[in-house]
Amino acid sequence: MYKTHIFGKPTIIVCKPELCRQVLTDEAKFIPGYPTTMKTLFGKKSLHAVTKEEHRKLRRLITTPISSHAALEMYIDHIERTVISGLEEWSSMEKPLELLTTIKQLTFKVIWNIFMGSTPIKSTSIREMETFNDDIVLGFFTMPINFPGFSFHKALLARKGLHEILQSILDEKRMVKKSKGENWEAKDMMDLLMEVRDEDGEGFDDETITEMIFSMLFGGQETSAFTSMWAVLFLTDNPHIFQKAKEEQEDIIKRRASTQTGVSLSEIKQMKFLSQVIDETLGLSSIAFATFREATVDAEING
């Protein structure tokens, strides 16, 4: 445990498991306290910024709609189509790929299709959003200096541009929903968030929906890309593990009905060994370097 400065603020770094447990379980003395850059870029209505009571309410309202079996089946279809398209594109290339860069581009498309895939969008807009996202990522881990030439300033501009795109998509979705009436059905995560109602029958406003999509877009893309890259590297270095994982997949396909055209949720639940591979990869390669807490009172830890 030692003192330092991170993102312009005095900070205590705690490393040992027993000391981390003391900080993370004492909610009276230590509350979530993200750096200024993160809080500003995530927005005041994201899950990272709301109070504990609001956070619990939001999680309670959105967990079931966006994580139900029907929703997961919907996501699987989006993921499979996007990944197959990406693999076909890679196989046709005549020069080596930059692994992380290529996987980041693919995971962005996957997450985009899960969140808003039912709304057609030009490939140029996708590339623009990828650029916005990259600029925002760089702004998270820098000094909060909002002045031209600094990463944080560039990240704020990128955030504004990405939110404008998200808002335009949400506006279009609301128009389509209104025109179709009872014939409208949810086809992606943004659609599902538009349907959420609390105990008083109130739905989310536009800002809440765009802030949640924005924060999940960042949280999902970077972590998924890095984990996928490390999985490829670990499986390459351990061919016997790769072979066992491959055999599990082949066995599932052999037992599949001849009329089935895509991966199903029940098949994913059968992938026991692959699940272990994923867990081991996450244990070895997490890019989350820290969890942030802010002390509400003077507190003594380990003397």
Side-chain angles (χ1 to χ4, degrees):
M1 184 170 71
Y2 59 92
K3 292 189 291 184
T4 185
H5 272 70
I6 293 182
F7 311 122
K9 280 195 172 185
T11 306
I12 306 292
I13 304 293
V14 181
C15 301
K16 289 186 176 181
E18 61 271 19
L19 300 182
C20 290
R21 190 176 299 110
Q22 183 177 340
V23 172
L24 295 175
T25 57
D26 191 343
E27 295 186 352
K29 294 180 180 178
F30 305 101
I31 60 174
Y34 292 91
T36 302
T37 50
M38 290 187 179
K39 288 191 289 188
T40 305
L41 290 171
F42 274 128
K44 63 180 182 293
K45 288 201 172 184
S46 74
L47 289 172
H48 299 80
V50 296
T51 64
K52 184 164 66 175
E53 291 73 22
E54 289 176 305
H55 189 281
R56 286 174 176 168
K57 179 182 178 180
L58 284 173
R59 287 188 66 85
R60 176 173 53 79
L61 289 173
I62 69 176
T63 297
T64 299
I66 70 174
S67 303
S68 64
H69 277 205
L72 293 177
E73 291 278 10
M74 182 194 306
Y75 303 154
I76 291 168
D77 181 55
H78 287 309
I79 294 168
E80 186 171 29
R81 283 188 287 105
T82 308
V83 171
I84 288 174
S85 175
L87 292 174
E88 289 175 346
E89 181 183 345
W90 296 353
S91 66
S92 66
M93 301 182 94
E94 298 179 353
K95 58 181 180 180
L97 303 172
E98 292 184 358
L99 187 58
L100 180 59
T101 300
T102 310
I103 291 178
K104 284 178 72 172
Q105 291 169 348
L106 180 61
T107 52
F108 186 88
K109 290 176 182 176
V110 168
I111 293 169
W112 178 265
N113 282 326
I114 290 173
F115 291 172
M116 292 154 289
S118 67
T119 301
I121 190 163
K122 298 178 181 178
S123 58
T124 52
S125 298
I126 287 286
R127 287 195 292 272
E128 182 183 23
M129 285 181 286
E130 288 176 353
T131 302
F132 283 153
N133 195 61
D134 290 341
D135 290 342
I136 292 165
V137 170
L138 293 175
F140 275 116
F141 307 108
T142 186
M143 296 288 286
I145 303 173
N146 185 14
F147 192 80
F150 288 87
S151 296
F152 184 60
H153 177 76
K154 191 174 183 180
L156 288 173
L157 295 177
R159 182 188 190 278
K160 180 182 178 183
L162 188 53
H163 268 271
E164 287 174 354
I165 294 174
L166 294 177
Q167 184 62 56
S168 67
I169 293 171
L170 183 57
D171 291 341
E172 184 177 343
K173 283 180 175 292
R174 291 201 186 280
M175 287 176 59
V176 171
K177 182 182 178 184
K178 184 177 180 180
S179 65
K180 290 190 175 181
E182 295 181 356
N183 295 322
W184 182 88
E185 60 177 339
K187 294 183 178 179
D188 55 41
M189 189 179 290
M190 185 178 274
D191 291 344
L192 293 171
L193 289 173
M194 287 165 54
E195 288 283 271
V196 171
R197 295 290 182 273
D198 62 17
E199 53 272 13
D200 299 320
E202 293 293 323
F204 292 139
D205 59 26
D206 288 2
E207 186 179 6
T208 300
I209 293 176
T210 55
E211 293 283 18
M212 282 196 284
I213 290 289
F214 170 80
S215 60
M216 289 188 285
L217 186 66
F218 166 76
Q221 196 248 356
E222 288 288 308
T223 52
S224 299
F226 275 89
T227 303
S228 299
M229 178 196 72
W230 281 110
V232 171
L233 295 176
F234 291 148
L235 289 170
T236 301
D237 290 340
N238 296 273
H240 61 295
I241 300 296
F242 172 72
Q243 184 60 34
K244 189 171 180 180
K246 183 180 178 184
E247 288 171 356
E248 180 181 65
Q249 300 299 302
E250 291 170 340
D251 182 58
I252 289 172
I253 291 173
K254 287 177 184 176
R255 291 184 273 113
R256 175 184 289 175
S258 58
T259 55
Q260 187 175 329
T261 56
V263 179
S264 67
L265 186 58
S266 62
E267 286 178 333
I268 290 177
K269 291 179 178 179
Q270 296 171 38
M271 300 175 186
K272 304 296 184 183
F273 187 73
L274 183 63
S275 178
Q276 293 172 339
V277 170
I278 294 170
D279 287 345
E280 287 298 307
T281 303
L282 289 168
L284 287 167
S285 64
S286 173
I287 67 166
F289 70 94
T291 296
F292 297 94
R293 290 293 185 270
E294 183 177 347
T296 57
V297 296
D298 288 336
E300 183 175 304
I301 302 175
N302 200 27

